[in-house]
Amino acid sequence: MLNDSWVEYLLIRATILALQSVGPLSTAYAFSLLLQAFILPTNETSKPLQLIANLLVSVKPLQWYCFAEAAFYVFLRYYRIHLQGEAIHPPLRSKVDRQALFQNVRAEIHDPTRFISGWFRGAEIEEIGRDDLKDYLSWAFWEGRTTAEDEVELEEITKEVEKMIGKRKFKPGRGSVKSIRLTLDHVEMDHRSLLWYSIILLIDTTTHLRLLIYGMRYYCTLPTSFGVFPPRPLALATASGRSPAPKLSYWLRPHTSKTRLPVLYLHGIGVGLHPHVEFLHQLDAKLNANTPPNDQVGIMCIEILQISSRLTHSILDRSEFLTQLTQVLDQHDFKRLVLLSHSYGSVLSTHMLTDDAMAARVAATLMVDPVTILLHMPDVAYNFTARAPTHANEWQLWYFASKDPGTAHTLGRHFFWSQNVLWRERIMELVDRGMRLTASLSSRDLIVDTEAVGRYLVNHEIPDPVLLKDKKANQEHMELEVASKKKKEKREVGEAWKVRKFGGKGLEVLWWEDLDHAQVFDQAGSRAKLVDVLVEYSRSS
């Protein structure tokens, strides 16, 4: 991520403006050429075929390029409409499961007013209509598929939320603001040009070659080789074999060690593995330098092209992802492994950790910039999809991630929060079974409320409900308890968890002061620390 300086701000704004202008300017220029050729011919007796022939003969290379950009611009206008198709939702929960989910969320809300306001894009409670609140709750717990039979239950949950809010009241009927409902809202994307995808093609090719040079092997599939734009000329030409999974391609450093565990990496949103090639090479060197051929630690990197600035098939749903990943892991005998994920990759790692069969394979986990912990809070959804950018890093996130067509479609039609959230209860259950888990958090993360995530993981800071009959006494008691708790934390606990050294046991947090989302991979010191964690996990798990 960029830092918040004027130079970087001006650079990112100029870059975005230039990339956004390619399609419209090319279309306008192409239209003007057609206008000159067909609408304003100097020879009134010219026939259409003759006009076309004359135009083709006279067109220069730059003009052909503008025609291509114009055609692609028109195509993406249609593609925007295509992205609005309805999401294929997972099966609805039973009433018992739905009530349990609501109670889980309710128990972990520190500030109900801030919680609701965040999901309504920062609006005041008085601006929110009661019917709008019910629409949000319908999405949150029914995925927008409530029926007449669900109205009684929906009304009960609505009243519970009103009790949580207290004195402040929602407007009757509809208000002036709408909530964030990812899988139901309009999918917002920004146009991409052929020039941009040419850059992606170059990045993909360079990344491919670098990984080959570093000893990685590529396992392709037909959809990830041919069913993707921009094209991937090296995908089949340099593949070591076909993936056993029909829609999961991956890179592999073969695993031969009998005493150490391999590493599985799930990357985040961006341009694929390109930003992490040196990190992976550094990890490989630390794991396998000066070791014999029969004691090499494998590294597997799954390609997630849907969030890598590509146009391709839809991302696999949770069930299909787990099925196909199992096929890949079985093919290479990854019976036990160390799991590494970054940002959106934590969604896929959460799918693994919440599945008992798959979680049994995971000996240890390192989650870098995870977005699934406290996912029921509005921070991640608001910061990634609804926040108006103002700073350089926010503009970078907005254009190159949030508004990318593939990423926007993945988040808008395939991101089901209740499937993707990783509860602390589940983490502690896995830790009690022997799994070790480290979360790497950065203080300036522009997507995740890392301070809250760190305290949630380490101290499980959830206020216990105080049940007093007298409302005034209850309020006073709550205020005193909060003030007392803050003083106690400052006096006894403070920021100790942020500076605690990595011990390789149980649940731990790595805290990076003054780093933003993904910047942990940019600096040699922080990158080396992540490598040390993975080496320790591989060796002693």
Side-chain angles (χ1 to χ4, degrees):
M1 283 293 173
L2 296 174
N3 292 310
D4 190 22
S5 70
W6 276 105
V7 173
E8 288 166 302
Y9 175 80
L10 294 175
L11 176 63
I12 192 65
R13 292 302 309 272
T15 301
I16 292 173
L17 179 61
L19 291 173
Q20 287 177 321
S21 300
V22 172
L25 291 179
S26 296
T27 302
Y29 181 58
F31 181 77
S32 69
L33 291 177
L34 293 175
L35 186 67
Q36 294 175 24
F38 290 94
I39 307 301
L40 303 172
T42 57
N43 185 359
E44 296 182 0
T45 61
S46 298
K47 297 180 180 179
L49 291 178
Q50 183 180 351
L51 291 173
I52 294 175
N54 293 338
L55 177 64
L56 292 176
V57 171
S58 62
V59 170
K60 300 175 182 178
L62 179 60
Q63 293 172 334
W64 278 118
Y65 166 73
C66 289
F67 276 124
E69 284 284 12
F72 193 67
Y73 183 76
V74 172
F75 163 75
L76 281 187
R77 308 307 292 182
Y78 157 77
Y79 193 73
R80 185 194 298 269
I81 299 173
H82 166 72
L83 295 183
Q84 309 309 321
E86 291 187 9
I88 302 176
H89 293 88
L92 283 173
R93 290 176 176 77
S94 66
K95 182 175 181 179
V96 173
D97 290 342
R98 194 160 47 244
Q99 290 292 328
L101 179 63
F102 174 73
Q103 294 304 327
N104 279 347
V105 175
R106 181 180 182 179
E108 298 196 353
I109 296 177
H110 299 264
D111 186 341
T113 299
R114 178 182 178 275
F115 177 86
I116 295 297
S117 175
W119 280 110
F120 277 82
R121 308 168 195 269
E124 297 293 333
I125 294 298
E126 292 76 12
E127 299 177 284
I128 302 171
R130 195 172 188 274
D131 289 345
D132 297 318
L133 174 65
K134 294 180 77 170
D135 286 345
Y136 162 72
L137 295 173
S138 172
W139 168 76
F141 299 103
W142 283 267
E143 287 147 3
R145 293 179 289 168
T146 48
T147 64
E149 297 177 356
D150 301 312
E151 280 302 317
V152 174
E153 184 185 352
L154 178 58
E155 179 65 23
E156 291 174 353
I157 292 179
T158 303
K159 290 180 178 178
E160 289 293 327
V161 174
E162 290 176 317
K163 290 179 182 178
M164 293 166 61
I165 295 298
K167 295 180 180 180
R168 304 181 71 175
K169 302 296 182 182
F170 297 98
K171 293 176 62 174
R174 298 286 178 185
S176 57
V177 293
K178 299 296 182 182
S179 65
I180 300 171
R181 301 185 301 165
L182 287 181
T183 53
L184 300 180
D185 290 340
H186 187 82
V187 177
E188 297 288 348
M189 57 155 278
D190 199 80
H191 175 267
R192 295 293 187 267
S193 64
L194 287 177
L195 173 63
W196 169 248
Y197 284 119
S198 297
I199 296 172
I200 295 299
L201 171 61
L202 179 62
I203 291 174
D204 182 66
T205 303
T206 303
T207 302
H208 203 102
L209 291 173
R210 291 170 67 199
L211 289 170
L212 289 174
I213 292 171
Y214 286 151
M216 301 286 281
R217 300 178 182 178
Y218 183 64
Y219 291 81
C220 66
T221 71
L222 291 180
T224 56
S225 298
F226 294 111
V228 60
F229 185 83
R232 314 185 74 198
L234 296 182
L236 283 178
T238 62
S240 297
R242 292 281 292 274
S243 169
K247 291 187 177 181
L248 275 188
S249 54
Y250 56 95
W251 288 90
L252 177 68
R253 172 72 159 85
H255 182 72
T256 61
S257 178
K258 304 299 181 184
T259 59
R260 296 183 293 163
L261 296 181
V263 177
L264 171 66
Y265 180 43
L266 303 170
H267 67 78
I269 291 171
V271 291
L273 291 171
H274 168 70
H276 311 302
V277 172
E278 288 305 318
F279 167 76
L280 293 170
H281 179 54
Q282 187 175 344
L283 174 62
D284 183 21
K286 192 68 178 288
L287 286 168
N288 297 316
N290 304 317
T291 58
N294 62 351
D295 189 29
Q296 299 284 298
V297 173
I299 302 173
M300 180 183 291
C301 306
I302 303 296
E303 285 190 324
I304 315 168
L305 297 179
Q306 295 81 5
I307 57 170
S308 301
S309 302
R310 318 293 165 86
L311 302 180
T312 186
H313 60 85
S314 298
I315 198 167
L316 299 175
D317 62 30
R318 178 182 184 273
S319 176
E320 191 58 34
F321 169 73
L322 292 175
T323 298
Q324 296 199 25
L325 181 61
T326 299
Q327 295 172 335
V328 171
L329 297 178
D330 288 346
Q331 174 76 13
H332 300 283
D333 201 29
F334 277 36
K335 295 178 181 178
R336 293 274 286 171
L337 55 89
V338 175
L339 177 60
L340 166 65
S341 64
H342 175 244
S343 193
Y344 184 91
S346 65
V347 172
L348 303 180
S349 62
T350 294
H351 293 170
M352 296 176 65
L353 297 177
T354 53
D355 179 81
D356 287 336
M358 187 61 79
R361 292 181 183 247
V362 181
T365 301
L366 172 59
M367 304 178 79
V368 182
D369 302 330
V371 298
T372 57
I373 301 171
L374 290 182
L375 185 60
H376 51 296
M377 299 300 180
D379 304 271
V380 171
Y382 176 81
N383 290 337
F384 202 93
T385 66
R387 176 179 55 196
T390 56
H391 302 290
N393 57 349
E394 293 172 356
W395 278 103
Q396 181 185 8
L397 177 75
W398 178 84
Y399 183 78
F400 293 102
S402 302
K403 299 305 179 184
D404 173 76
T407 299
H409 185 249
T410 297
L411 295 179
R413 292 298 178 264
H414 299 276
F415 193 90
F416 307 107
W417 80 266
S418 56
Q419 277 192 343
N420 299 342
V421 62
L422 183 57
W423 302 100
R424 187 180 187 277
E425 179 183 8
R426 176 61 175 178
I427 292 174
M428 297 314 299
E429 178 186 341
L430 295 173
V431 170
D432 290 341
R433 294 181 190 175
M435 181 187 296
R436 295 180 292 167
L437 187 146
T438 295
S440 172
L441 307 173
S442 299
S443 65
R444 295 194 299 108
D445 195 308
L446 80 164
I447 300 173
V448 181
D449 184 353
T450 49
E451 184 86 24
V453 171
R455 292 184 178 276
Y456 173 73
L457 290 175
V458 176
N459 300 327
H460 199 198
E461 294 182 6
I462 301 174
D464 296 325
V466 182
L467 302 177
L468 298 176
K469 293 182 180 180
D470 184 79
K471 291 184 178 180
K472 184 177 181 180
N474 179 53
Q475 180 63 27
E476 292 174 351
H477 183 91
M478 289 287 288
E479 291 173 355
L480 289 173
E481 183 186 55
V482 169
S484 175
K485 185 175 182 180
K486 288 182 177 179
K487 290 180 181 179
K488 183 179 180 182
E489 289 172 356
K490 187 174 182 180
R491 183 176 65 253
E492 297 180 1
V493 180
E495 307 297 319
W497 61 274
K498 294 183 180 180
V499 296
R500 194 171 299 155
K501 292 184 178 181
F502 174 74
K505 298 179 181 179
L507 173 62
E508 299 185 81
V509 170
L510 293 178
W511 181 260
W512 306 103
E513 199 64 51
D514 206 32
L515 290 184
D516 200 346
H517 195 86
Q519 285 186 340
V520 68
F521 290 107
D522 298 337
Q523 299 188 6
S526 55
R527 196 166 58 232
K529 183 61 179 178
L530 297 182
V531 168
D532 290 341
V533 171
L534 294 169
V535 170
E536 170 64 21
Y537 279 169
S538 174
R539 178 174 55 233
S540 58
S541 295

Short mmCIF file of all heavy atoms in Angstrom, two decimals, residues 78-87 183-189 409 413:
data_model
loop_
_atom_site.label_atom_id
_atom_site.label_comp_id
_atom_site.label_asym_id
_atom_site.label_seq_id
_atom_site.Cartn_x
_atom_site.Cartn_y
_atom_site.Cartn_z
N TYR A 78 -21.53 -3.91 -21.25
CA TYR A 78 -22.41 -5.09 -21.16
C TYR A 78 -22.01 -5.96 -19.97
O TYR A 78 -22.87 -6.46 -19.23
CB TYR A 78 -22.35 -5.91 -22.44
CG TYR A 78 -22.74 -7.35 -22.23
CD1 TYR A 78 -24.08 -7.71 -22.09
CD2 TYR A 78 -21.77 -8.35 -22.14
CE1 TYR A 78 -24.44 -9.04 -21.87
CE2 TYR A 78 -22.12 -9.67 -21.91
CZ TYR A 78 -23.46 -10.01 -21.78
OH TYR A 78 -23.81 -11.31 -21.54
N TYR A 79 -20.72 -6.15 -19.78
CA TYR A 79 -20.23 -7.01 -18.70
C TYR A 79 -20.68 -6.49 -17.34
O TYR A 79 -20.97 -7.27 -16.43
CB TYR A 79 -18.70 -7.09 -18.76
CG TYR A 79 -18.10 -8.17 -17.91
CD1 TYR A 79 -18.21 -9.51 -18.27
CD2 TYR A 79 -17.41 -7.85 -16.74
CE1 TYR A 79 -17.65 -10.50 -17.49
CE2 TYR A 79 -16.85 -8.84 -15.95
CZ TYR A 79 -16.97 -10.16 -16.33
OH TYR A 79 -16.42 -11.15 -15.56
N ARG A 80 -20.76 -5.19 -17.18
CA ARG A 80 -21.25 -4.60 -15.94
C ARG A 80 -22.68 -5.08 -15.64
O ARG A 80 -23.02 -5.37 -14.50
CB ARG A 80 -21.23 -3.07 -16.03
CG ARG A 80 -21.61 -2.35 -14.75
CD ARG A 80 -21.88 -0.88 -15.06
NE ARG A 80 -20.71 -0.22 -15.59
CZ ARG A 80 -19.81 0.41 -14.84
NH1 ARG A 80 -19.96 0.44 -13.54
NH2 ARG A 80 -18.78 1.00 -15.41
N ILE A 81 -23.49 -5.16 -16.70
CA ILE A 81 -24.86 -5.65 -16.54
C ILE A 81 -24.85 -7.13 -16.17
O ILE A 81 -25.60 -7.59 -15.30
CB ILE A 81 -25.67 -5.43 -17.83
CG1 ILE A 81 -25.74 -3.92 -18.15
CG2 ILE A 81 -27.07 -6.01 -17.72
CD1 ILE A 81 -26.37 -3.60 -19.50
N HIS A 82 -23.97 -7.88 -16.82
CA HIS A 82 -23.86 -9.32 -16.55
C HIS A 82 -23.51 -9.59 -15.08
O HIS A 82 -24.00 -10.56 -14.49
CB HIS A 82 -22.79 -9.92 -17.47
CG HIS A 82 -22.35 -11.29 -17.08
ND1 HIS A 82 -23.15 -12.40 -17.25
CD2 HIS A 82 -21.19 -11.74 -16.52
CE1 HIS A 82 -22.51 -13.48 -16.81
NE2 HIS A 82 -21.32 -13.10 -16.36
N LEU A 83 -22.71 -8.72 -14.49
CA LEU A 83 -22.28 -8.93 -13.10
C LEU A 83 -23.42 -8.78 -12.11
O LEU A 83 -23.29 -9.19 -10.95
CB LEU A 83 -21.17 -7.95 -12.74
CG LEU A 83 -19.83 -8.09 -13.47
CD1 LEU A 83 -18.83 -7.09 -12.93
CD2 LEU A 83 -19.28 -9.50 -13.34
N GLN A 84 -24.52 -8.19 -12.52
CA GLN A 84 -25.61 -7.92 -11.59
C GLN A 84 -26.51 -9.15 -11.36
O GLN A 84 -27.46 -9.07 -10.58
CB GLN A 84 -26.48 -6.76 -12.09
CG GLN A 84 -25.71 -5.51 -12.45
CD GLN A 84 -24.76 -5.03 -11.38
OE1 GLN A 84 -25.08 -5.10 -10.19
NE2 GLN A 84 -23.58 -4.56 -11.79
N GLY A 85 -26.20 -10.27 -12.00
CA GLY A 85 -27.01 -11.47 -11.78
C GLY A 85 -27.09 -11.85 -10.31
O GLY A 85 -26.21 -11.54 -9.52
N GLU A 86 -28.14 -12.53 -9.94
CA GLU A 86 -28.36 -12.87 -8.54
C GLU A 86 -27.29 -13.84 -8.04
O GLU A 86 -26.81 -14.70 -8.77
CB GLU A 86 -29.74 -13.49 -8.34
CG GLU A 86 -30.89 -12.51 -8.53
CD GLU A 86 -32.22 -13.14 -8.16
OE1 GLU A 86 -32.22 -14.26 -7.59
OE2 GLU A 86 -33.26 -12.52 -8.43
N ALA A 87 -26.95 -13.68 -6.78
CA ALA A 87 -26.01 -14.60 -6.14
C ALA A 87 -26.66 -15.95 -5.92
O ALA A 87 -27.88 -16.05 -5.73
CB ALA A 87 -25.55 -14.02 -4.80
N THR A 183 -24.19 -9.14 -0.90
CA THR A 183 -24.63 -10.07 -1.94
C THR A 183 -25.94 -9.67 -2.61
O THR A 183 -26.40 -10.35 -3.52
CB THR A 183 -24.77 -11.49 -1.35
OG1 THR A 183 -25.62 -11.43 -0.19
CG2 THR A 183 -23.43 -12.04 -0.96
N LEU A 184 -26.54 -8.56 -2.15
CA LEU A 184 -27.78 -8.07 -2.75
C LEU A 184 -27.61 -6.71 -3.42
O LEU A 184 -28.35 -6.37 -4.34
CB LEU A 184 -28.88 -7.96 -1.68
CG LEU A 184 -29.27 -9.24 -0.94
CD1 LEU A 184 -30.36 -8.95 0.08
CD2 LEU A 184 -29.74 -10.32 -1.91
N ASP A 185 -26.63 -5.94 -2.98
CA ASP A 185 -26.42 -4.61 -3.53
C ASP A 185 -25.94 -4.67 -4.97
O ASP A 185 -25.43 -5.70 -5.44
CB ASP A 185 -25.39 -3.84 -2.70
CG ASP A 185 -25.91 -3.46 -1.32
OD1 ASP A 185 -27.14 -3.45 -1.15
OD2 ASP A 185 -25.08 -3.21 -0.42
N HIS A 186 -26.10 -3.55 -5.67
CA HIS A 186 -25.57 -3.41 -7.03
C HIS A 186 -24.06 -3.61 -7.01
O HIS A 186 -23.36 -3.06 -6.15
CB HIS A 186 -25.91 -2.02 -7.56
CG HIS A 186 -25.57 -1.81 -8.99
ND1 HIS A 186 -26.37 -2.21 -10.04
CD2 HIS A 186 -24.48 -1.23 -9.57
CE1 HIS A 186 -25.81 -1.89 -11.19
NE2 HIS A 186 -24.65 -1.29 -10.93
N VAL A 187 -23.54 -4.41 -7.94
CA VAL A 187 -22.10 -4.63 -8.04
C VAL A 187 -21.47 -3.43 -8.72
O VAL A 187 -21.73 -3.14 -9.88
CB VAL A 187 -21.78 -5.93 -8.83
CG1 VAL A 187 -20.27 -6.09 -8.98
CG2 VAL A 187 -22.38 -7.14 -8.13
N GLU A 188 -20.63 -2.72 -7.96
CA GLU A 188 -20.00 -1.51 -8.48
C GLU A 188 -18.60 -1.85 -9.02
O GLU A 188 -17.75 -2.34 -8.29
CB GLU A 188 -19.87 -0.47 -7.38
CG GLU A 188 -21.20 0.02 -6.82
CD GLU A 188 -21.94 0.92 -7.78
OE1 GLU A 188 -21.33 1.35 -8.78
OE2 GLU A 188 -23.14 1.19 -7.54
N MET A 189 -18.39 -1.61 -10.31
CA MET A 189 -17.08 -1.84 -10.92
C MET A 189 -16.69 -0.61 -11.73
O MET A 189 -17.53 0.20 -12.09
CB MET A 189 -17.10 -3.08 -11.82
CG MET A 189 -18.13 -3.02 -12.94
SD MET A 189 -17.74 -4.04 -14.37
CE MET A 189 -16.62 -2.96 -15.27
N HIS A 409 -17.21 -8.57 -8.38
CA HIS A 409 -18.19 -9.66 -8.53
C HIS A 409 -18.00 -10.71 -7.45
O HIS A 409 -18.97 -11.25 -6.91
CB HIS A 409 -18.05 -10.30 -9.91
CG HIS A 409 -19.09 -11.34 -10.19
ND1 HIS A 409 -18.82 -12.68 -10.28
CD2 HIS A 409 -20.43 -11.22 -10.37
CE1 HIS A 409 -19.93 -13.35 -10.52
NE2 HIS A 409 -20.92 -12.49 -10.59
N ARG A 413 -21.20 -11.05 -5.07
CA ARG A 413 -22.10 -12.18 -5.34
C ARG A 413 -21.61 -13.51 -4.76
O ARG A 413 -22.32 -14.51 -4.85
CB ARG A 413 -22.30 -12.33 -6.86
CG ARG A 413 -23.08 -11.19 -7.50
CD ARG A 413 -24.48 -11.09 -6.93
NE ARG A 413 -25.24 -9.99 -7.49
CZ ARG A 413 -25.37 -8.80 -6.92
NH1 ARG A 413 -24.75 -8.55 -5.77
NH2 ARG A 413 -26.10 -7.84 -7.47
#
